Amino acid sequence: MCSTTAARLCFAFCTFVGCAMIGLSGCRSYHLGHPATLPFESVFIEPAANESFAPQAQAIVSANIREVIIRDSRVKLLASREEADLVIEIVLTEYSKRSATRDPNDTEAALSFGLSLVSEVSLYDRRAKEYIFQNRRVEERGEGFVNNIYSNATTPDTQSFIQSEYQAIPRIARDLASKIADEVLSAW
């Protein structure tokens, strides 16, 4: 009886040690951070211009692109255009809304809307005094729901399209800012 318990303990210990060795051997080659180095050290982000009809989206996009760049931590975000290596220019050019789902009882009334926000992004290298890329189109899509899709059938509809649009714009702008940061911080 005692030898069976000892054999089980030995087997459990050997299994644990074997799994630990296999699991920890993969950590040896892991490095924190992004593996790619960038050819610039600092960036200045112009406040986004809004030539679209997206309500107040320029402030949200500007704040979110700054947040994404800071979080990446490979480059310094500067407050002065003259001191930065690169300048990011963002122009919101298009904002569109289209009905995505309609009420089966009233085909004139939409239950959800597809929203699209398009920007043109330019990346200017101040050292070389030329554009790395200019007017690159970056687009993000999202949806605004007029009704609460999680409520039961007896709950009255309380949300208008304006409310749903107001709730969807920050999410779309945040995702657009992430795409713009990917364009700037990845290989051109």
Side-chain angles (χ1 to χ4, degrees), residues 44 46 78-85 87 89 124 126 131:
F44 174 76
E46 291 277 347
L78 299 181
S80 170
R81 179 185 181 103
E82 290 75 31
E83 295 174 13
D85 296 336
V87 177
E89 301 166 356
Y124 182 72
R126 287 196 57 258
Y131 281 94

Side-chain angles (χ1 to χ4, degrees), residues 63-108:
N64 281 308
I65 187 73
R66 284 175 173 77
E67 207 172 292
V68 171
I69 296 286
I70 289 169
R71 219 178 276 140
D72 183 86
S73 76
R74 289 183 285 165
V75 296
K76 283 190 274 183
L77 181 63
L78 299 181
S80 170
R81 179 185 181 103
E82 290 75 31
E83 295 174 13
D85 296 336
L86 296 180
V87 177
I88 302 171
E89 301 166 356
I90 304 165
V91 179
L92 304 176
T93 56
E94 296 174 36
Y95 176 66
S96 64
K97 312 172 227 184
R98 61 171 176 70
S99 62
T101 344
R102 298 201 180 270
D103 187 346
N105 299 323
D106 182 5
T107 58
E108 290 289 319

Side-chain angles (χ1 to χ4, degrees), residues 40-62:
F40 56 94
E41 294 177 2
S42 61
V43 67
F44 174 76
I45 303 170
E46 291 277 347
N50 191 359
E51 295 176 1
S52 71
F53 291 109
Q56 304 298 321
Q58 73 276 11
I60 302 167
V61 170
S62 294

Side-chain angles (χ1 to χ4, degrees), residues 130-149:
E130 65 181 10
Y131 281 94
I132 295 172
F133 59 79
Q134 194 170 11
N135 299 331
R136 186 173 288 183
R137 183 181 166 100
V138 181
E139 179 178 3
E140 182 58 35
R141 296 171 189 259
E143 282 197 280
F145 297 97
V146 176
N147 296 331
N148 182 354
I149 60 173

